[in-house]
Amino acid sequence: MMVGQILAAGGQAVPGYRFIPQDVVPDDGTIAAAVARSGADGVLISRMAGLETRSNALQNPYPSLDVNAPVPAIYGGPGGGAYQVATIYTTLFAANGMNPIFTYDPKTFNPGDFESQAPMYATLLVSTMQSNGLLQTMMLPK
């Protein structure tokens, strides 16, 4: 999906699976060798991390006007409950030396549903890279 967004923006990209075996977790040496074979200028690596559970508390309570209630009831405000938050780290590395150039790390409030959020994430990341001059694009002839 990320490669597709970069290509749609006029950049050049190839998916890492073309150069890195899928049956092992790649170490630094494997990644460096794959980058050398690919001839890439940069490497974009994404991972989800920092999964934590948070809970809501009622923030905007209104006391009940029911004088017959055994305890004051609270109405209004957001509902309570637990939810999960994860940070998605995407780092752009310079291919020569694998030095980090840029990291994009927004939080997702429903990590279990990241698949549906991925297109928006990819669009925002590509846009941010373009606005920071980190994505060179080719203007195709008309």
Side-chain angles (χ1 to χ4, degrees):
M1 181 176 305
M2 188 66 67
V3 167
Q5 290 286 339
I6 292 170
L7 293 172
Q12 295 180 326
V14 293
Y17 65 78
R18 290 189 183 172
F19 299 95
I20 297 176
Q22 295 297 293
D23 56 347
V24 295
V25 176
D27 59 13
D28 291 347
T30 303
I31 293 172
V35 171
R37 281 193 313 276
S38 73
D41 295 326
V43 178
L44 195 64
I45 298 175
S46 294
R47 65 185 176 86
M48 186 179 295
L51 186 64
E52 62 185 84
T53 301
R54 297 183 182 172
S55 63
N56 280 343
L58 294 171
Q59 297 295 317
N60 191 18
Y62 301 100
S64 169
L65 297 178
D66 183 359
V67 293
N68 297 318
V71 293
I74 298 176
Y75 298 100
Y83 62 95
Q84 289 188 316
V85 176
T87 302
I88 294 123
Y89 293 96
T90 300
T91 303
L92 176 63
F93 295 89
N96 59 348
M98 292 299 289
N99 296 315
I101 298 171
F102 167 79
T103 296
Y104 183 67
D105 58 352
K107 296 194 181 319
T108 175
F109 289 96
N110 188 359
D113 193 29
F114 183 69
E115 187 173 327
S116 69
Q117 299 172 48
M120 180 180 67
Y121 177 81
T123 299
L124 290 171
L125 175 60
V126 168
S127 175
T128 301
M129 288 173 49
Q130 284 179 308
S131 67
N132 286 301
L134 298 169
L135 179 62
Q136 295 180 359
T137 56
M138 303 177 307
M139 298 305 294
L140 301 175
K142 293 183 178 186

